[in-house]
Amino acid sequence: MEEIQSQSDHYRSSSSSASSPASRVPAFNFFYLRKPGSLGQPISFEDSPEWEDTDADVRVEEGGGDSINAATTSVSPSLSKLNSGSLPSPHLPEGAAVAKKIAGASVAWKDLTVTIEGKRKYSDNVVKGSNGYALPGTMTVIMGPAKSGKSTLLRAIAGRLPPAAKMYGEIFVNGAKMHMPYGSYGYVDLETTLIGSLTVREYLYYSAVLQLPGFFSQKKSVVEEAIHAMSLGDFANKLIGGHCFMKGLPSGERRRVAIARELVMRPHILFIDEPLYHLDSVSALLMMVTLKKLTSTGCTLIFTLNQSSTEVFGLFDRICLLSNGNTLFFGETLACLQHFSNAGFPCPIMQSPSDHFLRAINTDFDRIIAMCKNWQDDNGDFSAVNMDTAVAICTLEATYKSSADAAAVETMILRLTEKEGPLLKSKGKASNATRIAVLTWRSLLIMSREFKYYWLRLILYMLLTLCIGTIFSGLGHSLSSVVIRVAAIFVFVSFTSLLSIAGVPVLMKEIKIYVSEESNQHSGALAFLFGQLLSSIPFLFLISISSSLAFYFLIGLRDEFSLLMYFVLNFFMCLLVNEGLMLAVVSLWKNIFQSVLTLVTIHVVLMLAAGYFRIRSELPGPLWTHPLSYIAFHTYSIQGLLENEYLGVNFAIGQVRSISGFQALHSAYDISPRSNAKWENVLVLFLMAVGYRILVFVLLHFYARKNVSLHRLFRGKHNSTA
């Protein structure tokens, strides 16, 4: 402690002359300043909500407005103080109407500890004994340097911890230990996969239909409210973009679209992981002003942040400052400035408060100072904080634990939990039939707009078919053409199947969209699979019929309509099986490079075992015959096409002798002499297509179960015992 005190005194002596508490306030107004004399006050209890439903007047725009109907209590006094002081509230238009509010939801966490094995070098405790709360109509920010436990704490509060995490402590929603039901809260991840070929309004509408029960027409008003709430009116009819040669929305607007997707449920509580991720200063300020306006509707807002400007910092109501999992401060943002000053680290005049906080507690700055220890700035010191950050962290933590702010937090948590408020209720989900229909129609719309991933593939299929057809054209129908025609059919089936790997990026995109929607319970594995299957059937059928017609007539197969239709059906089932195989591999790896490499390897091996290079009955066992030749879908497709062409056909040898098509193929390919054998091959292809999709369902199901939060289960147990 003597060492800590000595270094703290050294810091005071080096920075107090320029940034003492008395002289720290400049003549002009910073956004983070409050009325004189209020800076040193501890956290007020005036923000404690009353559980009875209360009415509050909120100014919203006429004709739809910028607000959404969310649960809340009356606007907290501290928020009123901020808005009535030097902190500017978001601009509201003139001639606004009055809207009625309902009771909201408070969140409190007590002695919250999260342990993830192997996550930290010296300790598995990612979050250590955190206490805090969030009230309706306020913004609570969890701030700290990288790997300080911000996102883990946010996930713990929201009930979205990974299975490897273990949580200890208590979380209360409206004073009760309970699991937040579906629709009562929203969670926006660090990176949300958006659909670039849809407009903002279309994307939000499909999201609303996937989430909410009821008729489709009832969702339009909800979507418009979400658009106005996130100030997306100017971008509502623009494509989100971001791929396929389409110019996408700016990062700020894309981030607001991701938040608006959660607002269609009108959540009581909204969790956002890094809302300012990849945003410039102007976009960041616009984002935070929009979120500040959102809290005026009563929504409880909790989010993480790495760093912010002075203007953005002034919009926060409360801050939870973390470093290496330890809580260095929780309370009102302006009280945090006083806390640092009391600990010996006053904020310099021309420095952003958040920059100052993170500079003092980020150990990465120690390495910078070590590298530049011989450098000096104009004032003679390289850094305003010229003490070891480990010492600063210990000083701040010790000061906070013994401060009135920490005691005020504990008292507030006790006050919030001594009386249970209204339980949050589920708002209902859309039925599986509705979700399947919506996913199917949405995928069809995406296919019609994305030239790169769909129509370009169709063109490539046609070019490949024309190449194969012209090479093997003019074969005739003599006995000598049988072997060459077998080669043509093998090349056609194998190469078109191999070309299907070009569809891996779009399947990867669909899997990412599913994972993003499933994590928030907007979709399910079964609905996704049926929607993907139904939407892919028209596209695959278009490929099969166009490619089959070109190939069939170029190489001169038998001119019968029934045989042509069987060829189209056989090739369609082959593509369907191949699509299922690709979907299974992509679901397993969730990485384009690994998926393409795996699929190329699988196709090459299956082509070798398909019975062309060596007749199936002569393949060496046990590997090549059993199981490879039996799981190669090429085998059944080629067998069916050859049986369709040569069964019932005779070839004349001389003037008196002839042989059947089966005998002619005996030395070239192994087929069955039964007349219905070709339909058995189609049935096998159908069963393989079903089997691969069952495999995909199992992979997606277990992946979803893998991401089920242990914290959610923990809270569910408390709910069952309450």
Side-chain angles (χ1 to χ4, degrees):
M1 288 301 296
E2 293 180 359
E3 179 184 357
I4 294 177
Q5 184 64 32
S6 62
Q7 294 200 44
S8 179
D9 293 339
H10 174 67
Y11 171 77
R12 290 189 182 96
S13 63
S14 63
S15 59
S16 59
S17 60
S19 55
S20 62
S23 62
R24 185 164 46 86
V25 181
F28 51 90
N29 277 337
F30 277 101
F31 280 77
Y32 60 82
L33 296 183
R34 188 182 284 187
K35 295 178 181 180
S38 63
L39 185 61
Q41 297 175 359
I43 298 174
S44 172
F45 295 134
E46 295 176 339
D47 289 323
S48 178
E50 299 297 335
W51 297 127
E52 291 76 21
D53 289 0
T54 58
D55 295 338
D57 294 338
V58 185
R59 299 175 62 83
V60 298
E61 293 183 355
E62 293 181 339
D66 276 359
S67 71
I68 61 173
N69 296 327
T72 183
T73 57
S74 57
V75 179
S76 64
S78 67
L79 184 59
S80 301
K81 291 177 184 178
L82 285 174
N83 288 336
S84 63
S86 58
L87 170 64
S89 60
H91 173 71
L92 294 172
E94 297 181 0
V98 177
K100 188 177 180 179
K101 291 186 178 182
I102 58 175
S106 68
V107 182
W109 58 97
K110 182 179 179 182
D111 297 328
L112 191 62
T113 298
V114 180
T115 300
I116 303 178
E117 186 175 356
K119 184 72 173 179
R120 292 286 188 265
K121 184 175 181 180
Y122 302 106
S123 174
D124 292 335
N125 292 335
V126 182
V127 178
K128 307 169 186 176
S130 177
N131 295 322
Y133 60 91
L135 301 177
T138 63
M139 299 171 64
T140 302
V141 57
I142 304 172
M143 186 177 289
K147 299 181 180 180
S148 61
K150 305 186 299 296
S151 297
T152 302
L153 177 58
L154 186 73
R155 294 190 189 102
I157 300 170
R160 297 169 66 98
L161 286 174
K166 295 182 179 179
M167 194 204 76
Y168 308 92
E170 298 174 308
I171 296 179
F172 303 87
V173 180
N174 277 356
K177 298 178 184 178
M178 63 172 295
H179 163 63
M180 287 181 288
Y182 174 79
S184 63
Y185 76 101
Y187 189 95
V188 183
D189 225 324
L190 181 63
E191 292 186 1
T192 302
T193 303
L194 305 178
I195 304 177
S197 54
L198 298 179
T199 65
V200 172
R201 180 174 279 110
E202 289 172 341
Y203 177 75
L204 296 179
Y205 177 73
Y206 286 122
S207 296
V209 176
L210 285 174
Q211 298 178 56
L212 296 170
F215 297 102
F216 292 166
S217 59
Q218 298 175 349
K219 317 296 173 57
K220 293 183 179 179
S221 61
V222 178
V223 171
E224 294 304 319
E225 288 175 1
I227 289 174
H228 286 296
M230 295 310 299
S231 303
L232 290 169
D234 295 337
F235 304 92
N237 295 318
K238 293 184 179 180
L239 291 175
I240 296 174
H243 69 285
C244 200
F245 307 113
M246 293 185 295
K247 184 179 180 180
L249 294 178
S251 298
E253 280 66 36
R254 291 174 65 88
R255 198 76 175 120
R256 282 188 276 153
V257 170
I259 297 174
R261 187 187 73 169
E262 299 303 313
L263 293 184
V264 297
M265 287 293 292
R266 295 186 174 115
H268 300 285
I269 308 166
L270 183 61
F271 302 92
I272 310 177
D273 194 3
E274 294 284 356
L276 307 185
Y277 185 61
H278 284 173
L279 300 188
D280 56 46
S281 58
V282 175
S283 299
L285 180 58
L286 178 60
M287 169 69 79
M288 296 312 301
V289 169
T290 304
L291 293 178
K292 187 69 174 181
K293 181 177 64 175
L294 179 63
T295 60
S296 67
T297 67
C299 183
T300 304
L301 193 58
I302 307 175
F303 58 91
T304 64
L305 209 61
N306 186 28
Q307 181 170 14
S308 70
S309 64
T310 303
E311 293 84 357
V312 169
F313 180 82
L315 296 173
F316 306 151
D317 291 294
R318 291 176 185 84
I319 180 173
C320 178
L321 194 61
L322 297 180
S323 179
N324 197 28
N326 297 302
T327 302
L328 303 186
F329 179 81
F330 183 91
E332 294 187 358
T333 51
L334 299 180
C336 190
L337 289 168
Q338 185 64 45
H339 169 65
F340 269 72
S341 179
N342 293 339
F345 311 107
C347 180
I349 294 177
M350 300 303 295
Q351 188 171 2
S352 167
S354 64
D355 289 342
H356 175 68
F357 298 158
L358 297 179
R359 168 60 191 90
I361 64 177
N362 193 341
T363 56
D364 291 337
F365 279 100
D366 291 340
R367 293 182 298 174
I368 298 177
I369 294 177
M371 292 171 56
C372 309
K373 59 183 179 181
N374 296 325
W375 294 3
Q376 290 184 343
D377 57 18
D378 295 338
N379 296 323
D381 292 321
F382 176 75
S383 172
V385 180
N386 51 17
M387 66 181 297
D388 190 351
T389 53
V391 176
I393 292 172
C394 292
T395 304
L396 290 167
E397 184 179 8
T399 304
Y400 173 68
K401 288 182 178 179
S402 59
S403 67
D405 291 323
V409 171
E410 295 180 359
T411 306
M412 175 63 81
I413 293 175
L414 180 62
R415 188 171 178 181
L416 291 173
T417 57
E418 65 183 0
K419 179 182 178 182
E420 292 189 6
L423 297 180
L424 301 183
K425 298 180 181 180
S426 175
K427 300 181 180 180
K429 298 181 181 180
S431 64
N432 284 330
T434 300
R435 287 181 170 180
I436 291 173
V438 171
L439 292 174
T440 301
W441 181 254
R442 188 180 71 178
S443 296
L444 288 173
L445 181 60
I446 294 172
M447 289 181 184
S448 66
R449 293 180 178 177
E450 294 199 358
F451 174 83
K452 178 180 178 181
Y453 288 144
Y454 291 98
W455 301 112
L456 185 59
R457 285 175 60 193
L458 178 61
I459 295 174
L460 292 177
Y461 270 102
M462 287 301 301
L463 290 176
L464 177 61
T465 302
L466 291 174
C467 292
I468 298 174
T470 52
I471 289 175
F472 291 97
S473 62
L475 296 179
H477 294 279
S478 63
L479 182 61
S480 60
S481 67
V482 173
V483 176
I484 302 177
R485 190 167 276 112
V486 170
I489 292 177
F490 170 80
V491 171
F492 174 72
V493 172
S494 301
F495 282 29
T496 51
S497 299
L498 195 61
L499 184 61
S500 298
I501 299 178
V504 166
V506 69
L507 293 180
M508 183 68 65
K509 187 75 173 180
E510 290 181 358
I511 291 294
K512 288 182 177 179
I513 293 172
Y514 160 75
V515 170
S516 177
E517 293 179 338
E518 194 278 335
S519 63
N520 286 356
Q521 304 180 53
H522 300 169
S523 181
L526 189 63
F528 166 75
L529 280 179
F530 273 101
Q532 194 278 336
L533 174 63
L534 295 175
S535 62
S536 65
I537 284 177
F539 178 70
L540 296 179
F541 183 76
L542 182 61
I543 290 178
S544 63
I545 195 170
S546 58
S547 301
S548 297
L549 287 173
F551 178 80
Y552 197 90
F553 291 107
L554 281 174
I555 69 169
L557 296 178
R558 292 165 62 187
D559 191 9
E560 294 183 22
F561 182 76
S562 61
L563 301 182
L564 173 61
M565 289 298 98
Y566 176 85
F567 193 100
V568 174
L569 177 62
N570 182 294
F571 186 52
F572 171 75
M573 295 305 302
C574 180
L575 293 178
L576 202 60
V577 173
N578 194 30
E579 192 87 357
L581 173 62
M582 292 194 301
L583 199 58
V585 173
V586 170
S587 301
L588 179 64
W589 290 118
K590 297 180 178 63
N591 178 274
I592 291 181
F593 175 76
Q594 293 176 337
S595 299
V596 170
L597 187 62
T598 302
L599 285 169
V600 170
T601 304
I602 291 175
H603 274 274
V604 170
V605 172
L606 296 183
M607 288 166 59
L608 292 175
Y612 172 74
F613 298 102
R614 191 170 182 181
I615 296 178
R616 186 179 180 185
S617 59
E618 297 179 1
L619 285 173
L623 177 63
W624 291 102
T625 303
H626 301 89
L628 288 180
S629 67
Y630 285 91
I631 64 175
F633 63 91
H634 309 68
T635 304
Y636 304 101
S637 179
I638 297 171
Q639 276 184 352
L641 295 177
L642 292 176
E643 289 163 354
N644 182 61
E645 178 68 18
Y646 288 109
L647 288 185
V649 176
N650 294 318
F651 294 93
I653 301 178
Q655 296 181 351
V656 296
R657 185 186 171 195
S658 65
I659 62 173
S660 65
F662 172 75
Q663 292 173 323
L665 281 172
H666 183 68
S667 60
Y669 206 87
D670 189 10
I671 65 173
S672 173
R674 300 191 309 275
S675 59
N676 62 343
K678 66 178 185 179
W679 297 108
E680 294 176 357
N681 286 309
V682 171
L683 178 60
V684 172
L685 289 174
F686 174 77
L687 294 177
M688 292 182 72
V690 174
Y692 277 126
R693 277 163 175 78
I694 292 176
L695 176 61
V696 174
F697 175 79
V698 172
L699 291 174
L700 295 179
H701 181 75
F702 277 100
Y703 180 81
R705 298 286 76 76
K706 181 180 178 181
N707 288 300
V708 169
S709 171
L710 293 183
H711 178 60
R712 181 179 297 173
L713 298 178
F714 175 84
R715 291 165 70 178
K717 292 178 181 178
H718 278 284
N719 188 32
S720 62
T721 58

